[in-house]
């Protein structure tokens, strides 16, 4: 009787799992917009072809339930001036175009499914419900980086079935939804940053002007 009750309980739990999986599929949550590395390569080449070393950029970032903004002036891939940065609480570095390309590549490289709660214990897994990277049609820089993920049951893993059999209960796979969005609000080309000269160079220039002034 005890074995029969155990099997009955597990059977009911399996029905719950199947119902959850079917409902997610019907809602379209299981579909992930897969990124394409070829688009990144093409966009990077288009940006490099612009040879745009000096620009002003404004970026909006949403992460950990917070929203912040960065407004920067970039010259030669270096941040020369921070006009506004409200992202200190999120520990987000200034996002130049180079940093945006790096971030886009990092997002693309994350596996669509990651074991939870640890890489070696997989009754649950974190999956992307949305992963999309958009590139500016003209300049090629990443204009939007969007990632949404949540934790779900992982019936494709042996750990899930072992947990179900041993505990006679479903694993605690809380949704734990994450939202991450980076959006470029504007990017404006700037005049090249004036080259700086050393004190020796300035002294030599002054000597040259003095010699030219002599009769």
């Amino acid at each position: 009787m005890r074995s029969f009750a155990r099997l009955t309980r597990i059977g009911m739990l399996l029905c719950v799992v199947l119902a959850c999986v079917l409902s997610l599929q019907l809602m379209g949550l299981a579909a992930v917009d897969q990124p394409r590395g070829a688009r990144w390569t093409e966009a990077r080449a288009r940006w490099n072809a612009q040879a745009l070393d000096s620009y002003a950029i404004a970026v909006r970032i949403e992460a950990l339930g917070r929203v912040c903004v960065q407004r920067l002036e970039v010259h030669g891939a270096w941040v020369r001036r921070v006009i506004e940065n409200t992202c200190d609480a999120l520990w987000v570095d200034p996002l130049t175009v180079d940093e945006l390309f790096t971030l886009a590549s990092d997002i693309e490289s994350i596996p669509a499914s990651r074991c939870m709660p640890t890489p070696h214990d997989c009754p649950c897994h974190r999956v992307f419900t949305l992963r999309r990277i958009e590139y500016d049609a003209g300049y090629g820089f990443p204009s939007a980086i969007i990632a949404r993920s949540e934790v779900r049951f992982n019936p494709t893993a042996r750990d899930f079935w072992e947990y179900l059999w041993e505990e006679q209960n479903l694993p605690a796979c809380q949704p734990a939804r994450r939202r991450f969005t980076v959006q470029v609000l504007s990017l404006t080309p700037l005049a090249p940053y004036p080259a700086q000269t050393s004190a020796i160079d300035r002294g030599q220039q002054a000597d040259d002007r003095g010699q030219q002034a002599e009769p």
Side-chain angles (χ1 to χ4, degrees):
M1 291 294 293
R2 183 176 299 177
S3 298
F4 178 77
R6 181 187 184 96
L7 291 174
T8 300
R9 181 177 177 82
I10 291 177
M12 293 177 63
L13 292 173
L14 287 176
C15 290
V16 173
V17 172
L18 291 174
C20 291
V21 172
L22 289 174
S23 64
L24 289 175
Q25 290 177 340
L26 290 174
M27 292 171 61
L29 293 178
V32 178
D33 185 2
Q34 293 289 350
R36 291 173 290 179
R39 294 179 61 236
W40 186 97
T41 302
E42 178 185 351
R44 181 79 219 200
R46 187 160 67 251
W47 169 257
N48 291 343
Q50 303 292 330
L52 189 60
D53 289 336
S54 300
Y55 56 88
I57 187 171
V59 181
R60 178 185 181 275
I61 301 156
E62 177 188 353
L64 302 177
R66 300 181 180 181
V67 176
C68 65
V69 175
Q70 294 180 351
R71 300 182 188 276
L72 316 169
E73 286 188 3
V74 181
H75 299 272
W78 295 94
V79 177
R80 293 289 185 176
R81 181 185 175 202
V82 177
I83 301 172
E84 180 183 8
N85 185 6
T86 61
C87 298
D88 290 341
L90 294 179
W91 299 94
V92 179
D93 292 333
L95 291 177
T96 65
V97 169
D98 285 341
E99 292 296 332
L100 287 171
F101 272 111
T102 299
L103 180 59
S105 178
D106 290 343
I107 293 294
E108 285 189 346
S109 66
I110 298 175
S113 171
R114 291 153 285 164
C115 287
M116 296 287 290
T118 70
H120 306 292
D121 187 13
C122 210
C124 311
H125 62 162
R126 177 170 291 281
V127 297
F128 280 106
T129 57
L130 176 63
R131 176 168 47 171
R132 186 170 73 244
I133 300 172
E134 300 173 358
Y135 298 94
D136 183 77
Y139 289 108
F141 61 85
S143 58
I145 301 172
I146 303 169
R148 305 283 185 270
S149 68
E150 64 181 36
V151 176
R152 298 177 179 170
F153 299 126
N154 189 12
T156 62
R158 178 178 177 178
D159 290 342
F160 173 84
W161 301 106
E162 288 182 349
Y163 186 98
L164 185 64
W165 178 258
E166 293 172 2
E167 302 296 331
Q168 299 186 49
N169 206 346
L170 292 171
C173 300
Q174 300 298 326
R177 296 181 178 90
R178 292 179 181 174
R179 296 172 57 89
F180 179 72
T181 303
V182 174
Q183 180 183 7
V184 176
L185 302 177
S186 64
L187 188 144
T188 307
L190 298 175
Y193 196 76
Q196 296 183 350
T197 57
S198 66
I200 295 177
D201 292 335
R202 289 195 295 272
Q204 184 62 49
Q205 291 172 1
D207 292 340
D208 293 341
R209 287 194 296 271
Q211 293 176 2
Q212 293 174 0
E214 293 179 356

